Amino acid sequence: MTLSPQLEAKFNKLLESYPPGRQRSAMIPMLLYGQDEIGSVTDDLIEEVAGRIGVTALQVNEVLSYYSMLHRKPMGKYHIQVCTNISCLLHDGDKLYEHACKKLGIGHKEATADGQFSLEEVECMGACSWAPAIQVNYDFHHFVTPEQLDRLLDGLKKNAV
Amino acid sequence: MLYNEPSPLETRVLSRRFGKPNSASIDTYLADDGYKAFLKASKMKPEEIIEEVKASNLRGRGGAGFPTGMKWSFVPRNSPKPKYIVVNADESEPGTCKDRLLMEYDPHQLIEGILIAGLSVDAHAGYIYVRGEYRYLIEILDKALAEAYQKGWLGKNIQGTGFDFELYTHTGAGAYECGEESALLESLEGKRGVPRIRPPFPAVVGAFQCPTILNNVETYCAVPAIIRDGGKAFADLGVPKAGGTKLTCLTGHINKPGVYELPLGFPVLKLIEEVGGGIRNGKKLKAFIPGGSSCPILTAAECEGATMDYDSMASRKSMLGSGGVVVMDEDTCMVKAALRIMRFYAHESCGWCIPCREGTAWLRKLLTRFHQGMGTRTDIDLIGDVSRNMLGRTFCPLGDAAALPTISIVEKFRQEFEDHLDGKPCPFEHARHMVTV
Ligand SMILES: Cc1cc2nc3c(=O)[nH]c(=O)nc-3n(C[C@H](O)[C@H](O)[C@H](O)COP(=O)(O)O)c2cc1C
Ligand code: SF4
Ligand code: FES
């Protein structure tokens, strides 16, 4: 498969980052960076990574199913992750998550029909003092109220058109 | 911009550059004593570095609190194998959000700590294992690494000292268990995050089967100050058996949530009232988690006289943990809190050993039933029994981390479980509903 020049450079750098014979170490970073560009962990990506680090596709499959950030199905262009773990829960993170479900009309790990949004209820993401927190792709948003979430989603929708 | 206003009660050693303009740049760091500790350490014998760290009474800041100098002394420095420095930047213990700030505001302090650890055991390569969600921090760290290479603070013959060191960032991809040291090392080798049997400990057989120092971000960040100002000065900031300061994440029902650097031994009630500005909406304190959801919970009464250090928390059968303080007010439903905490462990259990995999799943079901008002009186004891049966019988500490807080909640807040019996609705109206389970 052809990779973008940036991803190609990243993969090459990763392969040089581990001791000789330990290129398998690059697997998880490669899958995640690859997913960021392609939208999900596709069969092609698995083959590509497996080939570069010298393992079988089956071995890659076995590892990737362990990691919650690696998705075999495409997520939305904007992946909305709402934390409902304890510190966020105490700030109504669960209600915020439910609000997001209603607003987007989708549930946990689902995507909207137009592929713009997907939603995930996530565990603590290291923003507990600024709860409730969400992540849109890799961007953190802190102290999020339902109204702010509405504004944020409406803004992203406009972007999409 | 800082995430929260600093408190005048802080002792800012590790966080002293937080909020300064361009605090993450190498120039800011160099202008403020940066890398001086490394130069000093490069003239010391490795044993002297370790002695200084021992004298500081620094204990691991990742949760277990193991004495850092002692850990470093276990590494066979003269082994013919390469040695590695691994940084645990997986930060996923619920309630904890402090390593993030250390990397965001002051990545060079971390790099300097890693270099000094490298000198102490003759290691020449290191990996910073960053949780996948912290992508922006990998970008900040990679930029800092590039600056350090460019200015000769990483790479070959650093500043003419003859010491070589290569440092890399490595991303995780979502798994709490990968914060456990041996699971982290498996993950670093491109495998599922299933823990390893110990002994051998990572000091002897760690990354790539070689001797390894593995510490939390905050632990390494304390090292430059220890070498610069001496171990004793650091030790004197804390209490007799635990030196220095701790970054404390105040979360939950508190007026001024935030991350504050406080000396070890800081009184819990002063933390809540003065640093945190008291409980939100003038409510009363009900429960307190000292350092992440794996710690047994304290009641308001148990907080009287308690201080934020290892011994004070141990004497209350809890732990100082990771620094993730969770404050719960009088309107918190403890059944719901217990359920949410258990859902986390059930989700994160790696499934390798049966007591943890089955125990957490079973407890999640029992607590769910309870929360829905369908629990029975015998279930209350059953929750405690299942939890106690997990203790000490799991392959890694995640099992205990799930069981201990649950036992403490059922024992200390039994009445709340009774109040949910016989189809009675949860007494706290706002807490009745829980979305997905
Ligand atoms: C389930 C589990 C999760 C853990 N997560 C983390 C973590 O996210 N960050 C961390 O530094 N330590 C974590 N630890 C503790 C590590 O196993 C290890 O003790 C620590 O990184 C050692 O560094 P320290 O001595 O500097 O604390 C975790 C432990 C367990 C059992
Ligand atoms: S205690 Fe849990 S997380 Fe640890 S090895 Fe067993 S199943 Fe895995
Ligand atoms: S509990 Fe939500 S970010 Fe930590």
Side-chain angles (χ1 to χ4, degrees):
Chain A
M1 98 190 261
T2 11
L3 307 177
S4 71
Q6 295 89 318
L7 196 58
E8 184 67 45
K10 210 154 210 163
F11 277 19
N12 289 333
K13 180 164 189 290
L14 278 168
L15 287 173
E16 289 165 13
S17 299
Y18 305 94
R22 295 285 182 177
Q23 276 47 53
R24 182 182 173 142
S25 285
M27 185 199 297
I28 296 152
M30 278 180 164
L31 292 170
L32 189 60
Y33 291 125
Q35 167 177 288
D36 289 344
E37 193 170 299
I38 301 160
S40 64
V41 179
T42 58
D43 290 345
D44 284 351
L45 179 63
I46 293 176
E47 290 289 346
E48 185 66 34
V49 168
R52 289 185 186 229
I53 60 177
V55 301
T56 64
L58 186 67
Q59 283 170 308
V60 175
N61 253 307
E62 185 210 31
V63 172
L64 82 88
S65 62
Y66 179 91
Y67 293 93
S68 66
M69 288 176 73
L70 298 175
H71 304 292
R72 292 290 269 127
K73 280 195 315 206
M75 291 286 124
K77 179 173 169 208
Y78 300 108
H79 186 47
I80 316 291
Q81 300 144 82
V82 184
C83 173
T84 62
N85 207 316
I86 189 72
S87 302
C88 288
L89 184 78
L90 298 177
H91 288 277
D92 292 334
D94 57 340
K95 297 190 176 102
L96 186 67
Y97 170 69
E98 202 175 39
H99 182 81
C101 288
K102 285 204 189 110
K103 172 98 184 164
L104 294 170
I106 50 177
H108 184 56
K109 290 195 182 170
E110 290 176 357
T112 53
D114 61 1
Q116 288 300 313
F117 293 98
S118 51
L119 185 62
E120 188 173 352
E121 184 188 8
V122 294
E123 298 296 355
C124 176
M125 53 192 179
C128 328
S129 284
W130 315 292
I134 70 167
Q135 256 191 321
V136 179
N137 300 339
Y138 289 106
D139 294 334
F140 279 98
H141 298 263
H142 299 131
F143 301 118
V144 182
T145 62
E147 297 71 43
Q148 277 170 337
L149 184 67
D150 284 348
R151 275 201 296 278
L152 181 75
L153 294 178
D154 292 341
L156 293 174
K157 256 184 213 155
K158 271 201 207 102
N159 261 355
V161 193
Chain B
M1 203 197 70
L2 282 169
Y3 289 85
N4 55 272
E5 282 294 310
S7 160
L9 296 163
E10 284 181 82
T11 303
R12 295 178 56 160
V13 181
L14 279 67
S15 64
R16 69 181 208 188
R17 276 172 287 267
F18 285 17
K20 284 197 178 169
N22 294 321
S23 65
S25 90
I26 194 164
D27 293 328
T28 311
Y29 192 62
L30 287 168
D32 186 19
D33 292 343
Y35 290 108
K36 278 194 186 147
F38 166 76
L39 291 176
K40 185 172 171 190
S42 71
K43 298 189 192 88
M44 293 162 71
K45 289 203 193 78
E47 310 85 76
E48 288 170 348
I49 299 175
I50 294 180
E51 278 315 309
E52 211 56 56
V53 176
K54 281 187 180 164
S56 75
N57 284 340
L58 174 63
R59 294 172 61 167
R61 302 301 196 224
F66 193 83
T68 306
M70 200 191 299
K71 191 188 254 185
W72 293 12
S73 72
F74 295 153
V75 175
R77 194 185 311 125
N78 299 321
S79 156
K81 289 187 182 172
K83 288 121 219 141
Y84 293 102
I85 307 297
V86 175
V87 182
N88 191 340
D90 194 53
E91 186 155 75
S92 1
E93 173 74 16
T96 317
C97 49
K98 46 127 189 140
D99 296 339
R100 194 177 144 183
L101 302 188
L102 288 165
M103 292 184 276
E104 178 170 341
Y105 292 126
D106 208 350
H108 287 284
Q109 175 172 254
L110 173 62
I111 298 173
E112 188 174 15
I114 297 166
L115 286 173
I116 297 168
L119 284 169
S120 81
V121 295
D122 194 33
H124 301 282
Y127 295 89
I128 311 176
Y129 184 106
V130 187
R131 66 177 299 179
E133 292 84 349
Y134 282 177
R135 173 61 58 81
Y136 82 106
L137 290 175
I138 296 196
E139 284 161 15
I140 291 174
L141 288 167
D142 280 342
K143 187 160 170 257
L145 294 184
E147 283 179 331
Y149 275 108
Q150 199 213 339
K151 302 226 164 168
W153 294 99
L154 278 173
K156 295 263 176 264
N157 188 17
I158 296 173
Q159 304 294 318
T161 58
F163 180 68
D164 305 339
F165 202 89
E166 303 291 331
L167 186 56
Y168 308 93
T169 53
H170 179 102
T171 181
Y176 168 66
E177 176 60 3
C178 288
E180 194 281 331
E181 56 181 17
S182 68
L184 183 152
L185 293 169
E186 286 290 292
S187 179
L188 180 63
E189 295 187 10
K191 299 182 195 149
R192 294 170 75 90
V194 172
R196 297 175 178 172
I197 194 141
R198 274 149 297 166
F201 288 95
V204 184
V205 183
F208 313 114
Q209 308 299 314
C210 294
T212 299
I213 290 185
L214 194 156
N215 280 115
N216 172 255
V217 170
E218 186 183 350
T219 313
Y220 289 109
C221 288
V223 172
I226 290 170
I227 298 298
R228 192 181 57 230
D229 306 330
K232 184 169 179 308
F234 189 81
D236 288 345
L237 295 171
V239 288
K241 275 190 278 167
T245 56
K246 177 89 194 74
L247 267 67
T248 306
C249 321
L250 269 183
T251 82
H253 297 139
I254 191 95
N255 276 318
K256 294 188 214 160
V259 178
Y260 303 97
E261 184 174 1
L262 301 168
L264 279 156
F266 200 87
V268 168
L269 294 182
K270 194 169 170 188
L271 170 68
I272 297 173
E273 291 305 324
E274 295 180 30
V275 179
I279 310 278
R280 219 177 47 165
N281 303 328
K283 297 276 179 187
K284 284 211 268 305
L285 176 68
K286 180 189 266 186
F288 178 90
I289 303 179
S293 67
S294 306
C295 302
I297 206 158
L298 300 183
T299 61
E302 286 172 309
C303 291
E304 303 271 342
T307 51
M308 293 296 285
D309 58 81
Y310 304 91
D311 289 349
S312 175
M313 288 302 158
S315 73
R316 286 166 175 77
K317 298 199 168 52
S318 188
M319 301 181 287
L320 185 65
S322 63
V325 167
V326 185
V327 176
M328 301 184 190
D329 74 12
E330 55 191 309
D331 293 339
T332 309
C333 170
M334 298 311 289
V335 174
K336 184 171 177 179
L339 167 58
R340 186 61 187 87
I341 290 173
M342 187 50 65
R343 263 185 61 198
F344 169 70
Y345 292 103
H347 181 254
E348 301 298 332
S349 166
C350 82
W352 181 251
C353 67
I354 293 160
C356 168
R357 184 185 65 211
E358 299 302 317
T360 54
W362 199 6
L363 286 166
R364 189 196 56 209
K365 282 185 203 151
L366 279 167
L367 287 162
T368 303
R369 197 158 78 187
F370 234 102
H371 182 254
Q372 292 170 341
M374 293 182 292
T376 63
R377 203 162 292 275
T378 49
D379 283 347
I380 307 180
D381 291 326
L382 192 57
I383 294 169
D385 285 349
V386 174
S387 308
R388 268 184 291 273
N389 273 316
M390 287 166 66
L391 286 184
R393 293 196 177 89
T394 57
F395 193 73
C396 89
L398 189 141
D400 284 4
L404 286 168
T406 311
I407 295 170
S408 70
I409 295 178
V410 182
E411 282 179 355
K412 295 175 187 178
F413 297 96
R414 192 179 173 96
Q415 187 57 46
E416 292 204 16
F417 285 79
E418 309 229 347
D419 291 345
H420 280 75
L421 285 174
D422 311 320
K424 272 186 278 182
C426 170
F428 305 100
E429 203 188 327
H430 68 93
R432 273 185 203 153
H433 176 68
M434 180 103 150
V435 206
T436 42
V437 215

